[in-house]
Amino acid sequence: DAGVIQSPRHEVTEMGQEVTLRCKPISGHNSLFWYRQTMMRGLELLIYFNNNVPIDDSGMPEDRFSAKMPNASFSTLKIQPSEPRDSAVYFCASSNSADFYTDTQYFGPGTRLTVL
Amino acid sequence: GNSVTQMEGPVTLSEEAFLTINCTYTATGYPSLFWYVQYPGEGLQLLLKATKADDKGSNKGFEATYRKETTSFHLEKGSVQVSDSAVYFCALGGATNKLIFGTGTLLAVQP
């Protein structure tokens, strides 16, 4: 299995530009999660989907952030417009159910975003 | 609300030393507990987990026991290797339906 695939691995952009991060979950998994990791705030859950439907987006910082999952094999996280404080590593993870109690989440390698 | 507290790093050890990374939690109900590991430049991966009190999770020589009476899930390994150098995250899965991560502990093992 290829694991969770994220692209790009690194993104450098200027303030005000639109940024799109992409994720392909593990085939057969029905839950997908977007996290953000920074030194100051650690690892934060932004949003998660179950069967392509957004279940909880309470972690999305503000309206500049949006996420979609048009099908079971693809998701995007978009930031428009981007700001320097959005600089972080963004992880996508997937699992084969949405039971946080017991299920293992499989993480992608992350996208390191730098907003200048 | 639910939370996880883990010891601050970095933890620096010599090869073959004994490792303990402390993790305590606050939660309502009966959460599951996890240790994830992040190697340099990679995403997190599950190291071990325990889903009920007194369960012991183990993998790759690492162990952690779910202690309800002390609300703890300390990670241990009897003899660390240089290849164990990574960031270790304690996490809790519970009634809030979110996986709550600790701040991470950097382990550096020197040859």
Side-chain angles (χ1 to χ4, degrees), chain A:
Chain A
D1 199 324
V4 176
I5 298 172
Q6 292 187 247
S7 64
R9 292 294 309 274
H10 302 273
E11 177 80 27
V12 179
T13 190
E14 292 188 347
M15 183 174 60
Q17 296 298 306
E18 178 180 293
V19 174
T20 299
L21 311 181
R22 297 173 175 80
C23 175
K24 176 179 170 57
I26 292 173
S27 178
H29 283 189
N30 63 353
S31 294
L32 183 140
F33 311 85
W34 283 101
Y35 290 89
R36 178 172 67 177
Q37 186 179 38
T38 62
M39 289 295 292
M40 291 297 294
R41 300 176 66 91
L43 199 61
E44 305 172 277
L45 176 66
L46 301 178
I47 185 171
Y48 81 91
F49 296 83
N50 185 237
N51 293 323
N52 311 337
V53 176
I55 303 300
D56 184 347
D57 64 355
S58 60
M60 296 285 263
E62 49 197 274
D63 291 345
R64 297 185 298 106
F65 286 69
S66 62
K68 294 182 179 179
M69 192 164 186
N71 56 62
S73 58
F74 184 67
S75 177
T76 59
L77 178 67
K78 185 176 293 187
I79 308 172
Q80 167 63 15
S82 58
E83 297 182 3
R85 61 192 168 121
D86 301 330
S87 298
V89 180
Y90 291 81
F91 289 103
C92 176
S94 70
S95 73
N96 62 5
S97 85
D99 184 354
F100 284 89
Y101 276 94
T102 60
D103 292 334
T104 297
Q105 294 183 24
Y106 295 83
F107 282 73
T111 294
R112 181 174 295 277
L113 173 65
T114 303
V115 183
L116 303 174

Side-chain angles (χ1 to χ4, degrees), chain B residues 35-111:
Chain B
W35 277 101
Y36 279 80
V37 58
Q38 184 179 26
Y39 298 103
E42 299 183 10
L44 282 71
Q45 55 185 276
L46 180 70
L47 181 59
L48 52 85
K49 68 181 182 182
T51 58
K52 61 183 187 295
D54 299 325
D55 268 3
K56 178 186 283 188
S58 61
N59 186 25
K60 299 181 182 180
F62 291 88
E63 292 183 341
T65 301
Y66 187 156
R67 303 283 189 199
K68 192 170 188 297
E69 63 276 13
T70 55
T71 62
S72 66
F73 193 55
H74 304 322
L75 182 68
E76 297 181 335
K77 186 174 185 182
S79 176
V80 294
Q81 306 299 312
V82 172
S83 57
D84 294 326
S85 298
V87 180
Y88 292 81
F89 293 88
C90 186
L92 178 154
T96 59
N97 259 359
K98 292 183 179 180
L99 200 58
I100 308 296
F101 285 90
T103 53
T105 302
L106 174 63
L107 170 65
V109 181
Q110 299 176 338

